[in-house]
Amino acid sequence: MFFSCKPAEMANLMEDEVFMAFTTYAAIVILKMMLMAPLTAYYRITRGSYANEEDVSRKSAEEKKKLLKAHPDVERARRCHQNDLENVIPFMLIGLLYALTGPELSAALLHFRLFAGCRIFHTISYITVLPQPSRGLSWILGMLVTFSMAYRVLSTVLLL
Amino acid sequence: MFFSCKPAEMANLMEDEVFMAFTTYAAIVILKMMLMAPLTAYYRITRGSYANEEDVSRKSAEEKKKLLKAHPDVERARRCHQNDLENVIPFMLIGLLYALTGPELSAALLHFRLFAGCRIFHTISYITVLPQPSRGLSWILGMLVTFSMAYRVLSTVLLL
Amino acid sequence: MFFSCKPAEMANLMEDEVFMAFTTYAAIVILKMMLMAPLTAYYRITRGSYANEEDVSRKSAEEKKKLLKAHPDVERARRCHQNDLENVIPFMLIGLLYALTGPELSAALLHFRLFAGCRIFHTISYITVLPQPSRGLSWILGMLVTFSMAYRVLSTVLLL
């Protein structure tokens, strides 16, 4: 008699619908977060604002001084990136544990979609300087989604 | 004959005591880290120190200039948050791999409890400005816990 | 009849060669990232540049003012650390999902080795101030590795 328990385990996680949904949205929000780096680089080049001397080594001394000053657009993109680090990574880590607790697919999708929507809207409202409270609300709603998942994780699995 | 290998795999991770303990402490330290954001927001509002112009759009030009200056309490909370990002996230990622290497429950709990204690004490000593070396020691001890888990991970699983 | 499906699941992840390779390189790049903290501390001490008043509490008022100023070497190490956070953590999270999609071991090793090499070279070129584009290229190549893994993840598992 033969049965294939061992080689199949890895694939099984990726056959679970909740885990597949988590994987999809996790990849989307991480890619969105990573795109903040090229955006910052774009602002650094177009606005002429660098952080490192070796990045402006071919310029004259006078130009260097100018190019090494901070520019508001660059700083804004960096703050947005930092806010992503502070929110997307906790979502990913809590979301991974949440997906393993076996929630309903519909409830999981609601959490993941809401969070992804919030973060995409947060970035748009940060970079295009939409009037408050658009940025503030998308930030808070995204955090509440993560708190809701953390609540389920802790109420399912609690071993102190 | 019937046996349920496939649907049970997901739940199995959450039936493992070490993984349950990891999940519990991981959720606790991530929630603690996330609470730094509302704390920073609280300091921004009470101390009147904002980073974005759209956050003070209803104020007069003179007030705006004042409100867009950095305040020591806000900067302190932000440094504490940054220190959490630099330490809690590596703990989470190394801890996840560590939990999968199947350590003794008692050893795992020792690591997780020590780390969680260190980080909670670190935040208290940072925000309430306790005299050194309280903040420094809790920071170093937390890192040593992560290094210890990384050592076990690498000595169990090494495939270069 | 007896078969041990349940207790073996945890270990199975760590018996998968791709997952073992991921674990190894993940631990290496996280340890590398964590070492930026002691390096920053080293620069703070040797260059005499601190961020918190309680760190210089035993000094005279005049000395304090001097020691609380930013130093270029400290700021450089901090930027390098921040760049690690922005790149190593997405690699870890995407890499974990990538390893679970069951890629070829050779393809997985290529991704992991290339990324680890890029980040180690990135740190060296950042800290020792190598002329550009050494830092820029290692940064971009590392990101492309993560994008390549994210592409495979999304093309294998897409549940929106």
Side-chain angles (χ1 to χ4, degrees):
Chain A
M1 202 187 110
F2 175 83
F3 44 84
S4 63
C5 265
K6 274 160 247 159
E9 253 93 69
M10 292 276 301
N12 284 340
L13 259 185
M14 282 304 178
E15 276 162 22
D16 180 89
E17 283 197 314
V18 168
F19 203 82
M20 285 171 71
F22 168 70
T23 298
T24 304
Y25 286 96
I28 289 171
V29 291
I30 288 191
L31 286 176
K32 193 226 73 54
M33 179 171 81
M34 289 184 76
L35 288 178
M36 297 313 294
L39 185 68
T40 304
Y42 167 79
Y43 281 135
R44 285 205 184 280
I45 293 164
T46 55
R47 269 61 169 175
S49 167
Y50 297 87
N52 295 294
E53 271 184 51
E54 65 271 28
D55 302 352
V56 292
S57 56
R58 290 180 191 179
K59 309 284 176 176
S60 68
E62 203 181 330
E63 269 186 305
K64 269 186 196 175
K65 215 176 162 183
K66 219 172 154 185
L67 289 168
L68 289 172
K69 273 184 187 158
H71 186 282
D73 290 350
V74 174
E75 298 310 306
R76 180 174 287 274
R78 290 181 60 210
R79 286 198 300 276
C80 186
H81 198 168
Q82 182 73 12
N83 194 284
D84 268 354
L85 288 174
E86 291 169 8
N87 288 278
V88 170
I89 296 166
F91 164 82
M92 276 289 306
L93 298 171
I94 293 286
L96 179 72
L97 301 172
Y98 169 78
L100 294 173
T101 64
E104 290 286 318
L105 179 61
S106 57
L109 277 174
L110 183 66
H111 281 88
F112 302 158
R113 284 174 183 157
L114 203 54
F115 184 84
C118 280
R119 295 312 300 180
I120 290 167
F121 185 73
H122 180 270
T123 302
I124 293 170
S125 58
Y126 216 142
I127 298 299
T128 66
V129 200
L130 291 188
Q132 285 283 28
S134 45
R135 197 189 85 228
L137 284 183
S138 56
W139 171 64
I140 287 171
L141 193 53
M143 272 207 296
L144 291 179
V145 170
T146 308
F147 285 143
S148 163
M149 295 194 303
Y151 175 76
R152 173 167 166 111
V153 167
L154 284 177
S155 59
T156 312
V157 181
L158 192 67
L159 190 112
L160 280 168
Chain B
M1 202 187 111
F2 175 83
F3 45 82
S4 64
C5 265
K6 273 161 246 158
E9 254 93 69
M10 291 277 301
N12 284 340
L13 259 185
M14 283 304 180
E15 276 163 21
D16 180 88
E17 284 197 315
V18 169
F19 203 82
M20 286 171 72
F22 168 70
T23 298
T24 304
Y25 286 96
I28 289 171
V29 290
I30 289 191
L31 286 175
K32 193 227 73 56
M33 179 171 79
M34 289 185 75
L35 288 178
M36 298 313 295
L39 185 68
T40 304
Y42 167 79
Y43 280 135
R44 285 204 185 281
I45 293 162
T46 54
R47 269 60 168 177
S49 166
Y50 297 87
N52 295 293
E53 271 184 52
E54 66 270 29
D55 302 353
V56 292
S57 55
R58 290 180 190 179
K59 309 285 176 175
S60 68
E62 203 182 331
E63 268 187 306
K64 268 186 196 176
K65 215 176 161 183
K66 218 171 153 186
L67 289 168
L68 289 173
K69 274 185 185 156
H71 186 282
D73 290 350
V74 174
E75 298 310 307
R76 179 174 286 275
R78 289 181 61 210
R79 284 197 302 275
C80 185
H81 199 169
Q82 182 73 13
N83 195 284
D84 268 353
L85 287 174
E86 292 169 7
N87 288 278
V88 170
I89 296 167
F91 164 81
M92 277 288 307
L93 297 171
I94 292 286
L96 179 72
L97 300 172
Y98 169 79
L100 293 172
T101 64
E104 288 288 316
L105 179 60
S106 57
L109 277 174
L110 182 66
H111 281 89
F112 303 157
R113 284 173 183 158
L114 202 54
F115 185 84
C118 280
R119 295 311 302 180
I120 291 167
F121 184 72
H122 180 270
T123 301
I124 294 169
S125 58
Y126 216 142
I127 297 300
T128 65
V129 200
L130 292 189
Q132 285 282 29
S134 46
R135 196 189 85 229
L137 284 183
S138 56
W139 171 65
I140 288 170
L141 192 54
M143 272 207 295
L144 291 179
V145 171
T146 308
F147 285 143
S148 164
M149 295 194 304
Y151 176 77
R152 174 168 167 110
V153 167
L154 283 177
S155 59
T156 311
V157 181
L158 192 68
L159 189 109
L160 279 168
Chain C
M1 202 187 109
F2 175 84
F3 45 82
S4 64
C5 266
K6 275 161 246 159
E9 253 92 71
M10 290 278 300
N12 284 340
L13 261 186
M14 283 304 180
E15 276 163 21
D16 180 89
E17 283 198 316
V18 169
F19 203 82
M20 285 170 73
F22 168 70
T23 298
T24 304
Y25 286 96
I28 289 171
V29 290
I30 290 192
L31 286 175
K32 193 228 74 56
M33 178 171 80
M34 290 184 74
L35 288 178
M36 297 313 294
L39 185 68
T40 304
Y42 167 78
Y43 280 134
R44 285 204 184 282
I45 293 163
T46 54
R47 268 63 168 177
S49 166
Y50 298 87
N52 295 293
E53 270 184 52
E54 66 269 29
D55 302 353
V56 292
S57 55
R58 290 181 191 179
K59 310 285 176 175
S60 69
E62 202 182 332
E63 269 186 305
K64 268 185 196 177
K65 215 176 161 182
K66 218 172 153 186
L67 288 168
L68 289 173
K69 273 186 186 154
H71 187 283
D73 290 350
V74 174
E75 298 310 307
R76 178 173 288 275
R78 288 181 61 210
R79 285 198 301 275
C80 186
H81 199 168
Q82 182 73 12
N83 194 284
D84 268 352
L85 288 174
E86 292 170 6
N87 288 278
V88 170
I89 296 166
F91 164 82
M92 277 290 306
L93 298 171
I94 292 286
L96 180 71
L97 300 172
Y98 169 79
L100 293 173
T101 65
E104 289 286 318
L105 179 61
S106 56
L109 277 174
L110 183 66
H111 281 88
F112 302 157
R113 284 174 184 157
L114 202 54
F115 184 85
C118 279
R119 296 311 302 181
I120 291 167
F121 185 71
H122 180 270
T123 302
I124 293 169
S125 57
Y126 216 141
I127 297 300
T128 65
V129 200
L130 290 189
Q132 285 283 31
S134 46
R135 197 189 85 229
L137 284 183
S138 56
W139 172 64
I140 287 172
L141 193 53
M143 272 208 295
L144 291 179
V145 171
T146 309
F147 285 143
S148 164
M149 294 193 304
Y151 175 78
R152 174 169 167 109
V153 167
L154 283 177
S155 60
T156 311
V157 181
L158 192 67
L159 190 111
L160 280 167

